[in-house]
Amino acid sequence: MQVSMTVNGSEVSGDVEPRTLLVHFIRENLRLTGTHVGCETSYCGACTIHVDGTPVKSCTMLAVQANGANITTVEGLADGDNLHPVQEGFWERHGLQCGFCTPGMIMSASALLAENDNPSEDEIRHGIEGNLCRCTGYHNIVRSIEYAAAKMRGEEPAPPDWTQDFEGATA
Amino acid sequence: MTTTSTSAMGGIVRRKEDPALIAGKGRYVDDIKLNGEAAAVFVRSPFAHAKINSIDTSAATAMDGVLAVYTAEDTRHLGDLLAQVAVGSLRPLLADGAVHHAGEAVAMVVAENAYIAKDAADAVMVDYDPLPAVVDMKDAVKDEIKAHEDAESNVLLTWYSHDWWPGVFELEDHRPAIAAAKERDDVVVVSQEMTNQRLIPVAIEPRAVLADYNSGYGRVNVWSSSQIPHALAGAIAKTFGMTSHDVHVVAPEVGGGFGAKLNVYPDEMLVVFASKELSRPVRWTETRREAAYSTIQGRGWVGTATITGTKDGEILGYELDAIADMGAYSQNFTVAIPVLGLYVAQGQYNVPLAWQITCVHTNTQTTDAYRGAGRPEAIYYVERIIDMYAAAIGMDPADVRKKNFFKKDEFPATTAIGLTMDSGNYEYNLDTLLEDVDYDGLRKMQKDARDEGRYIGIGLSTYVEVCGFAPSVLAEFGFGWDAYGLPTSFSGSGLVRVNPDGSATVIIGTGPSGQGHQTTWAQVVSERLGIPVDAIRVTHGDTFESPTGVGTFGSRSAAVDGAATYEAAEKVRMKAAELVAHMLEASAEDIQFADGGAHVAGSPGHTVTWAEIAEVAYKPHKGPEGLEAGLEAHAVFSPGNATWPFGSHLAVVEVDPGTGDVKILRYVAVDDCGNRINPMIVDGQIHGGIAQGVGQALFEEAIYDENGNLLTGSLVDYPLPTAGDLPAFELGWTNTPTDVNPMGVKGIGEAGTIGSAQTIVNAVVDAVRPLGVTHIDMPLRPRKVWDAIQKARG
């Protein structure tokens, strides 16, 4: 079947089997490999993208269902060389380790902040519950999103909470 | 925060890894595409134990787009999967005549793409005769049903603490003394059977492997999501009769490891085989559900811990009698994992020890190293039973711990199994935690809450870890890569090269999966040479780049490969000093390196840049006569001992006795890993480690039914902690450097996991102890906690 859609601002089209998942269309046909596959049950969220502005797990959507949609993947989030505040936050606050869940996490977080640029820690934690991370324990992901929220509000982000300045470490 | 130009060790530096990863430009195995790729899919057994009568591949082979279907008939000549500790039954590459766990690979289909291969796999007809399966490890010990139908016993061996390496350590058997102590009138004996349940590692990136064999070059290129690329290259070379220099293994971005990728796997051999047979690149990518069958699992112990001690808190003996579930086959370290538990069996306590742990085969997936690997199990048992002992004698759990600690002036300290712990300051570390949280205030808050009818619990755990396994002689015990054709100990490798333009390239023998080695190693080299972090590129996970390599596991990388890199950088510095001395007409001893160049001590205005130094190095006619051209050095670092980090963790939880629900109110950790190269990265390692320990304590469990079917193979049934399940972590630290390596660093990758599961369980039991509960086995899901409360209430 023929499908066409807008991905990261470009018109794209392709010929796909009806059973082709959207994530496979994005990864295999478009060779945009930033969107990852971590499970088959839509639990891990590594494949999260924006479809018409809404975060969607692209492993549970068929390519043909996205016909005519406006899609943003992690590759399309930055404005040229200017990182999206959420990307900047993840870099500044060590919000990633292995990086595999990161694109999906960033897409969920950016959608969360588009709705509410001043979320509480609890709102952030529940807002990203659909995205699993096995490396960070989420602590620095939350701090990264708080950093981004502050930037989006035009405020100075809170300083990092690394243990670096603890005194009296050596007996 | 900005990237500091030349950050000394101990500085916060944003990760060099991140720009690609946050932009979706990181390249994991599944993101790499070769021309002419074919896809492999495995046919897996629905039975945990069965005879294979026949396999009919004709319908699958006939399908359009199918290139080949392979069974054991085709691969038997390659031998079993190589295992580093080859005790017990080894795994055939494809099941040969019988299957021994559900999901075992029986055939491999290779087709033009994975969709076709999956369709064809469904068309492979296998005729099985089901056999009785042994699933529970306590049943396995009875030997009524054999996991391997032709084996004499399911029991492989029993590790004893007093006799774990006969001929090397002459150790005292503490059992008679402990038995005598039990007869005394002034002692109590506290005993509890506890399960340390089986877990599934769940790196978010499933494993993937891509192989491209080129008969013209006689070489195979392999990309694998592996923590041990060099060991994999060795194993491929040995299996296919090649030399390791013809096997190029690259571990590109690796999406989490946690021990799951610290193994050589049959699929890695089989895609190489298929690529060789078909003269095409062949790829296999694991699915999430398949990962429960194709990737190792962890933990899986049941045992009774016993403390014999006086009524005022002096421990006279600690015993553990346990069984460990090896699963169906022995792979990389399987049977040695309990030995890693034995290393830290007594925790931080200078007490008589009597451990015995029996390793058994069952008809389940193989177990092996999962984050902590034996050490979380060991610390769980000692830290749970010491809490129960404290409760039994009515003493505060912090005070009981302190009373039995190895004391600061006892280091280096010898453990009951004859090993030497490098450095420790346990009481100071625990006191730091207790002061940070105002422990007395917390206990008062708990009491006030109890008066209001709330069930708050405070859980405490200390731990000691062992990482960067050493000394070299341990290779003879099995901690090396000899079985993969690479006779090595677990030394570190670092190569430092200053390039002709003054930038630096660093090549290391590690295989990280998110630990930030590119950043940390750049800091190490920058501190030695004064070259900015931004001008240093670090390469890892590549067997053609790094002269040797052991990989990343056991919290070893910084303390071993890091130290090797430090020493290589030092060699470069010494040579560069001679060059600069020639350039500035000074003495080499007076040359100092800083701010991207070098100067003569006392004359900071008179400098040369690294580009100028490099030019002289690569144009020998400009340098001192007789000095070899070039500016690079390689070092192999073999530490004289492991490093032994430690720490203290505390959790505050609230239990709803009406539902059994557990809420973590606070989690505080004070870890000591010696000097910290990048504290930001260290914090991140601790955070992630804690989350995995909390996952074991509250949520995770691999459950098999009585027929050996895994009931928790997807993330629907195997819940991982989410952001909403965890609190913000409060971290403190103490610093007790080691003298085992020149940087004074210890490992930190597994510490959080080793410290945390029992911290949560101790807190939950502390909360419901007034209701009569003394122990609940993990995971503490609401139903289990509620059941325990009901049972205690009668």
Side-chain angles (χ1 to χ4, degrees), chain A residues 105 108-109 112 124-131 138 141-142 145, chain B residues 723:
Chain A
M105 198 65 85
S108 282
L112 174 74
I124 293 173
R125 287 184 176 274
H126 288 289
I128 58 169
E129 265 180 338
N131 292 75
Y138 305 102
I141 290 178
V142 174
I145 296 170

Side-chain angles (χ1 to χ4, degrees), chain B residues 6 39 83 92 102 129 147 190 213 263 270 351 368 380 471 491 499 503 535 546 581 660 695 786:
Chain B
T6 55
D129 259 348
V190 180
Y213 183 85
N263 233 289
L270 290 166
V351 297
D368 205 314
Y380 179 79
S491 301
N499 301 310
S503 66
S546 181
W786 188 85

